[in-house]
Amino acid sequence: MDDYLRSDAPVVEALDRAWDRSRLSVRTRFERLRSRVFLLVQCAVSAGVAWWLATDVFGHRSPFFAPIVAVVCLGMSYGQRLRRVFEVAIGVAVGVFTADVFVHVAGSGPWQIAAVVLVSMAIATLLDGGPVIVTQSAVQGIVIAALVASPGQAFGRWTDALIGGGIALVAATVVPQAPLRRPRVAAAEAVRKIGELLRRAAASAHDGDVEGAAEVLASARGTESLLRELRQAADEGLSVISSSPFKRHHAAGVRKMVDLVEPLDRAVRSTRVLVRRVTVAVGRGEQLPPGYETLLLELASATDVIGRALSENASPEIGRSALLAVAAATGEVPRTPSLATETVLAQVRSTVVDLLQVTGLDVDEAIAALPPERPRDA
């Protein structure tokens, strides 16, 4: 019986891991849904209001363009909303009027639809339109030519598009606090990831764990999504304060977070390189000199201070003293003739410089904070 259980152990472990991944995926999906509830409700309400306004106030019959334009303009992101409104409006105008002319002159059919798409996209391109304008012109032209081929109603459809865009503009000014907090949350998450990678790298170096070092490196390579999230959050925050007059007083705080994007980007990338250097040293079976692991752990602790400060809406400058202590320690550790371990030390110093810039120092001040390197041991 024991042999049977042991033989099935890999299968059971695989099933457990699959179940854990499934639960994580479900949890992630519900978290994503929860974070977008406001956007979903905002789009739904705007679509309903646009339809009501077009039918009950302006007396249009079946003004489907009004809710469509409202939803497309709002989208599922807080960023670039004003730009989307104008792009969609121009795209709809080009597509609707082009299709209306073709339907009026030549009726509706396969070649007319092909001609509408070609001419609409060509006009939109000549207007120096972006992908949204060009695509919208083609899509709306197809809708007119194929589904509602009734010439002479271009002005009414264009009015419906304006109604939808106007409702979207009004709705865009109503924004919750979440997109304004998101840059700070994303920055804190990126800093915490740096600390996690440093600790795991130190542990793999201490144990000489080649497989563990490789896993840390794989995790470090996955930080690109964190950087992408950080940049997107910063862009959304700026878009919100520029489009919503009710959020202008948050402008200073959001811009401070935006200013962190570049130094944090460099810090994450430097950490990724540092982890790679540790992995190379471990893979060659080289033991890091005394003090190197301590440097990694102390640098991780310093990032914890910065991460907590960002999470608590405090200044990352709080972590500067801890980073300066790590910078000073890099001048005290022993040097070796091994290139693999020397590059670890060099990359620790580079990462410290990047993190010091996160705390508010400029690049020259951060470099000046590093002590001269001790000469290599013979």
Side-chain angles (χ1 to χ4, degrees), residues 337-357:
S338 168
L339 180 60
T341 55
E342 282 295 302
T343 54
V344 170
L345 177 60
Q347 197 57 39
V348 168
R349 291 167 65 92
S350 178
T351 306
V352 169
V353 168
D354 292 331
L355 287 170
L356 281 171
Q357 292 176 71

Side-chain angles (χ1 to χ4, degrees), residues 241-316:
I241 61 176
S242 65
S243 63
S244 177
F246 309 113
K247 303 297 181 183
R248 298 286 169 81
H249 59 285
H250 293 282
V254 171
R255 289 196 177 95
K256 284 182 180 179
M257 290 300 102
V258 171
D259 290 341
L260 291 182
V261 171
E262 287 304 318
L264 258 180
D265 184 294
R266 290 193 295 270
V268 171
R269 295 181 189 279
S270 290
T271 303
R272 192 186 305 165
V273 176
L274 174 55
V275 169
R276 187 183 305 125
R277 300 305 184 195
V278 172
T279 303
V280 170
V282 173
R284 292 181 176 178
E286 296 187 16
Q287 186 73 30
L288 293 183
Y292 278 51
E293 294 169 23
T294 302
L295 274 181
L296 293 173
L297 294 175
E298 289 181 349
L299 185 54
S301 297
T303 61
D304 289 344
V305 177
I306 298 173
R308 282 196 300 272
L310 290 171
S311 298
E312 297 168 2
N313 201 26
S315 171

Side-chain angles (χ1 to χ4, degrees), residues 20-37:
D20 288 339
R21 285 195 299 270
S22 175
R23 285 188 299 176
L24 179 60
S25 178
V26 170
R27 196 162 53 243
T28 301
R29 292 173 187 177
F30 273 102
E31 178 63 26
R32 185 185 305 140
L33 175 61
R34 186 193 65 79
S35 67
R36 296 179 180 178
V37 164

Side-chain angles (χ1 to χ4, degrees), residues 133-192:
I133 295 177
V134 176
T135 303
Q136 280 295 319
S137 66
V139 170
Q140 305 306 338
I142 292 171
V143 170
I144 296 298
L147 301 180
V148 286
S150 51
Q153 297 182 9
F155 180 75
R157 293 167 187 143
W158 172 231
T159 305
D160 292 339
L162 287 180
I163 291 171
I167 294 298
L169 277 175
V170 174
T173 64
V174 182
V175 181
Q177 291 290 103
L180 299 175
R181 290 193 300 265
R182 193 168 160 232
R184 183 174 290 276
V185 171
E189 186 176 353
V191 172
R192 283 194 294 268

